[in-house]
Amino acid sequence: MQKEGQLRVLFVINPVSGGKAKTDWETQIRNTIRDSIHEMEFFLLTGEDDESSVRHHIERVQPDRVVAVGGDGTVKLVAGLLLDRNIPLGILPAGSANGMAREFGLPLDVESALKVVLGGIPTPIDLLSVNDGDICIHLSDLGLNAMLVKYFEGSKKRGMWGYGRAVLRVLWQKQKIHASIETDKESVRRGAYMIVLANARKYGTGANINPDGDPSDGYFEVVIVRRLNLVEILKALFTNRSFDASKIEVLKARQVTIQTSKRTYFQVDGEYRGKTGRVVAHILPAAVKVLLPAKDRES
């Protein structure tokens, strides 16, 4: 029987997030909150049937909250499994970019992040349903960045060096997309280097692709990057600068269908999904609760 005020917390750990040597996250978490009254359960992802295994652990443990220990891919996995469950999601940033943690103004050090996990405020956020039920919590896109994700996933050099190599490769073979885009409000035809489905504002690198985005407003943005040059791309990818507003177009939407003239690279929350000629997405309002600091989110 749980004691008064005691929480049962399930930590879902990706042991190789961030491209570093394996870190014993379980030991680090236990040591940090060893004097806590809360019950802790741990599950380590293996890359084999993770979704089914985590779902089984949630049903077995019946936790009061589930914590994703990893990068955006781990956060996405756990968020998808908490859809339609009244269980808050905690985030312990352990990836190489940690885009969602930065989006929500979460602390990046373990001790401070755990304080939010145990004492934060459950706050409803939207998700996107993409192409027959694939869940997007952050950013999905067609084109240049998705190509970058593909090359980065295949790179033997992880971290910023591997990312830099992938950037140079993508810039060398920059390709333009020709697409028809139909939202619940309008239909347009555009040529673009990237088409982004943005439930948030920034990529994990800090690039501010959607400055007015809000992951809890019941909408997402379709960001069409129509013109780019090398200097602008590098500034956007490696600094906190926003993309040049004169070179992008933003469509606010609840749903969208994108049809491209040729199959092109597509990624969802930093995970490459292959080439596609069609993307269909719609908003899932207030789909999951995320544990956030008591103060307002940072801008």
Side-chain angles (χ1 to χ4, degrees), residues 230-281:
L230 176 59
V231 174
E232 287 172 336
I233 293 172
L234 293 175
K235 284 181 179 178
L237 290 175
F238 292 106
T239 73
N240 290 323
R241 290 172 58 113
S242 297
F243 280 77
D244 187 337
S246 68
K247 296 179 173 58
I248 66 173
E249 180 180 1
V250 180
L251 311 178
K252 205 169 188 69
R254 294 182 186 273
Q255 63 186 47
V256 70
T257 299
I258 302 171
Q259 190 79 41
T260 62
S261 59
K262 294 182 180 179
R263 290 168 63 85
T264 189
Y265 301 91
F266 181 56
Q267 68 88 21
V268 178
D269 284 334
E271 297 180 350
Y272 182 59
R273 290 290 187 258
K275 284 188 172 183
T276 185
R278 180 179 172 86
V279 174
V280 180

